[in-house]
Amino acid sequence: MSSTDVYPVSERNKARRMRDRASYDVAAVHALLDSAMLCHIAYLVEGQPYCTPTLFWRRGNQVIWHGSVGSRMLREHAKGIDVCLTVTHLDSFVLTRSAFAHSVNYRSAMLFGKAHLIEDPEEKRLAARDLLDTFFPGRSDLVVPPAPLEVKQASFLKMEIEQASLKVRALPASFETPEYRHTPVWAGQIPIETRALPPVPCETLNEAAANADDIVLYREGGRLDATLAKIRKDHPLEP
Amino acid sequence: MSSTDVYPVSERNKARRMRDRASYDVAAVHALLDSAMLCHIAYLVEGQPYCTPTLFWRRGNQVIWHGSVGSRMLREHAKGIDVCLTVTHLDSFVLTRSAFAHSVNYRSAMLFGKAHLIEDPEEKRLAARDLLDTFFPGRSDLVVPPAPLEVKQASFLKMEIEQASLKVRALPASFETPEYRHTPVWAGQIPIETRALPPVPCETLNEAAANADDIVLYREGGRLDATLAKIRKDHPLEP
């Protein structure tokens, strides 16, 4: 799956509405994933759908997430079941003068594939490192490594992205029927941003670590999507 | 369902792990919902799970969301199918000195019930008003009302919350094995916040609306969860 490809389109991932907002471009989907850390995963347990929030990251065309062996989700996913993994950024309220034209601007990717438990010990060791390094490059070499029992308690799941769709809406409030333009009601956008604030050290911080490099990109705060995208661009996890 | 109640607990919504983080308290679940505007909904179409992001709001013990009649989700939900609706706030990275003790602080509610299309014209009219007023109190009286064809194109779904579970993690980095406290690696929290920034007026704004009351709470920017919670506290939608 190279970055010039598009994901195959079928009934499963084809946009039903607002088709002009949809894309199946691999590079665009990967870029959205790389700007995020939280996803929601839909899966089935005995006929009941569940929607579970979790941290995730991308390695090549795989997405990987983490959880405890005891969890409901992981027990089911280990069987290689169908899941839908969705990542959403809400970017603004769009307030228009017409009730019907109100909207939100957003970016969202919906991924389809089968989730599998990572069972190979070496692959699992790598996933445990990635879980830190994908957010704080190099950190897995600095911290106290997991004990054998801790490794045993942890589980990681991986999903090859079989299909995906990306939807982006980025339109101004003036994208409404022109006849309403001068109605005396407020119109415009209220931007919404998710930010990482400057790090707050633990009370028992060892002074030798006060200026640690692994969190340097978070020191000034700023948009979380931009910070994550920069980290993933500078430190890509190769397939 | 009064605010002193708890939701019934069964296999479906019982926390499998981290049980000390879980609650089934109706008032606590409602409070989390009232601090949010984006949810992710898991549902099934012909055996395939989907995870769809959407705006939502609460009226009493119901959650309500909106979409176009043509969408895949709405066509399925209209049948009264089982859904799981999840709302998540990510509050911080928690960086510890031990690889295994790293975590995130978060607040998340998972709701279970059956989604139904709102078909009664009066109930639909009310939902169309709520969609604006739940974010901008009083706005539905100010804007150009929807035309009959626009009302026809819109759909709203409602779900009585049958069961729910709330999970909250709010622990400092020092909540790790004490022996690691003086390892020379950075530890602490990196707070994460979603903020509404000050409104940006449309280029064709009518000056008479420059100081509109319906967006007053957004004028100074600030945490989106706190702004939404205040709006819903001051302007509750009664069941």
Side-chain angles (χ1 to χ4, degrees):
Chain A
M1 188 74 70
S2 94
S3 61
T4 55
D5 288 337
V6 293
Y7 287 108
V9 179
S10 73
E11 278 300 302
R12 182 164 72 165
N13 66 324
K14 191 168 156 187
R16 291 292 192 287
R17 50 187 287 265
M18 306 296 182
R19 293 183 189 188
D20 52 325
R21 296 179 191 166
S23 154
Y24 308 95
D25 184 76
V26 170
V29 169
H30 286 186
L32 184 72
L33 298 177
D34 290 352
S35 73
M37 58 186 283
L38 176 70
C39 69
H40 285 77
I41 303 183
Y43 59 100
L44 264 193
V45 179
E46 294 168 8
Q48 169 69 48
Y50 286 86
C51 181
T52 296
T54 190
L55 299 191
F56 81 100
W57 66 96
R58 179 180 72 86
R59 177 179 274 282
N61 192 50
Q62 274 185 357
V63 281
I64 301 165
W65 62 98
H66 158 67
S68 149
V69 166
S71 77
R72 177 195 290 126
M73 173 174 69
L74 294 196
R75 280 187 287 122
E76 292 297 320
H77 284 196
K79 299 173 189 167
I81 60 169
D82 283 316
V83 302
C84 175
L85 187 155
T86 298
V87 172
T88 309
H89 293 305
L90 200 58
D91 290 326
S92 68
F93 285 109
V94 183
L95 286 85
T96 56
R97 282 140 291 215
S98 152
F100 191 72
H102 281 75
S103 193
V104 289
N105 284 336
Y106 62 88
R107 292 164 286 154
S108 181
M110 197 181 269
L111 317 179
F112 298 94
K114 283 188 188 295
H116 292 275
L117 189 65
I118 295 180
E119 301 192 89
D120 176 74
E122 186 53 32
E123 196 179 355
K124 189 172 174 183
R125 196 190 61 79
L126 182 65
R129 291 177 60 89
D130 285 351
L131 172 57
L132 296 184
D133 291 343
T134 189
F135 302 115
F136 312 101
R139 186 167 177 87
S140 64
D141 284 335
L142 305 174
V143 294
V144 178
L149 180 64
E150 290 174 339
V151 175
K152 211 169 165 184
Q153 287 175 341
S155 295
F156 294 94
L157 286 118
K158 61 177 174 181
M159 180 181 97
E160 186 75 19
I161 308 170
E162 297 169 7
Q163 290 179 290
S165 65
L166 180 74
K167 278 197 178 177
V168 176
R169 187 188 196 276
L171 293 171
S174 56
F175 191 78
E176 68 182 331
T177 317
E179 67 198 88
Y180 296 143
R181 293 279 166 84
H182 300 289
T183 306
V185 57
W186 196 87
Q189 292 192 54
I190 301 178
I192 296 171
E193 279 187 2
T194 296
R195 302 182 75 84
L197 306 189
V200 179
C202 176
E203 289 173 10
T204 57
L205 185 70
N206 186 306
E207 281 187 20
N211 298 307
D213 281 347
D214 58 321
I215 60 159
V216 67
L217 274 174
Y218 297 93
R219 288 220 182 277
E220 294 176 15
R223 287 182 67 121
L224 183 61
D225 56 357
T227 300
L228 292 172
K230 178 163 171 46
I231 289 170
R232 276 73 179 266
K233 181 164 178 283
D234 294 346
H235 304 273
L237 303 177
E238 301 300 341
Chain B
M1 188 75 69
S2 94
S3 61
T4 56
D5 287 337
V6 292
Y7 287 108
V9 179
S10 73
E11 278 301 302
R12 182 164 73 164
N13 66 324
K14 190 168 156 186
R16 291 294 192 285
R17 49 186 288 266
M18 306 294 182
R19 294 185 187 185
D20 53 325
R21 295 180 192 165
S23 154
Y24 309 96
D25 184 75
V26 170
V29 169
H30 286 185
L32 185 72
L33 299 177
D34 290 352
S35 73
M37 57 186 282
L38 176 70
C39 69
H40 285 77
I41 302 182
Y43 59 99
L44 265 192
V45 180
E46 294 170 10
Q48 169 69 48
Y50 286 86
C51 182
T52 297
T54 190
L55 299 192
F56 82 101
W57 67 94
R58 179 180 73 84
R59 176 179 275 280
N61 192 52
Q62 275 185 354
V63 281
I64 301 164
W65 62 97
H66 157 68
S68 150
V69 167
S71 77
R72 178 194 289 125
M73 174 174 69
L74 294 197
R75 280 186 287 123
E76 292 297 320
H77 285 196
K79 299 173 192 168
I81 60 169
D82 282 315
V83 303
C84 175
L85 186 156
T86 298
V87 172
T88 308
H89 293 305
L90 199 57
D91 290 326
S92 68
F93 285 111
V94 183
L95 288 85
T96 57
R97 281 139 292 212
S98 153
F100 191 72
H102 282 75
S103 193
V104 289
N105 284 336
Y106 62 90
R107 292 164 286 154
S108 181
M110 197 180 267
L111 316 180
F112 298 94
K114 285 189 187 296
H116 293 274
L117 189 66
I118 294 180
E119 301 190 89
D120 176 74
E122 187 53 31
E123 195 179 355
K124 189 172 176 183
R125 197 192 58 80
L126 183 64
R129 291 178 59 89
D130 285 351
L131 172 57
L132 296 184
D133 291 342
T134 188
F135 303 114
F136 311 101
R139 187 167 177 86
S140 63
D141 284 334
L142 306 174
V143 295
V144 178
L149 181 64
E150 290 174 336
V151 175
K152 212 169 165 184
Q153 287 175 340
S155 295
F156 295 93
L157 286 119
K158 60 177 175 180
M159 179 182 98
E160 185 75 19
I161 308 170
E162 296 169 7
Q163 290 179 289
S165 65
L166 180 74
K167 278 195 178 181
V168 176
R169 188 188 195 275
L171 293 170
S174 57
F175 192 78
E176 67 181 333
T177 316
E179 67 195 90
Y180 296 143
R181 295 274 168 85
H182 300 291
T183 306
V185 58
W186 196 87
Q189 291 192 54
I190 301 177
I192 296 170
E193 280 187 3
T194 297
R195 301 182 76 82
L197 305 190
V200 180
C202 176
E203 289 172 9
T204 57
L205 185 70
N206 185 306
E207 281 187 22
N211 298 307
D213 281 346
D214 58 321
I215 60 158
V216 66
L217 274 174
Y218 297 92
R219 287 221 183 276
E220 294 176 16
R223 288 183 64 123
L224 183 61
D225 55 357
T227 300
L228 292 172
K230 179 164 171 43
I231 289 169
R232 275 75 178 265
K233 183 165 177 284
D234 294 346
H235 305 273
L237 304 176
E238 300 301 342

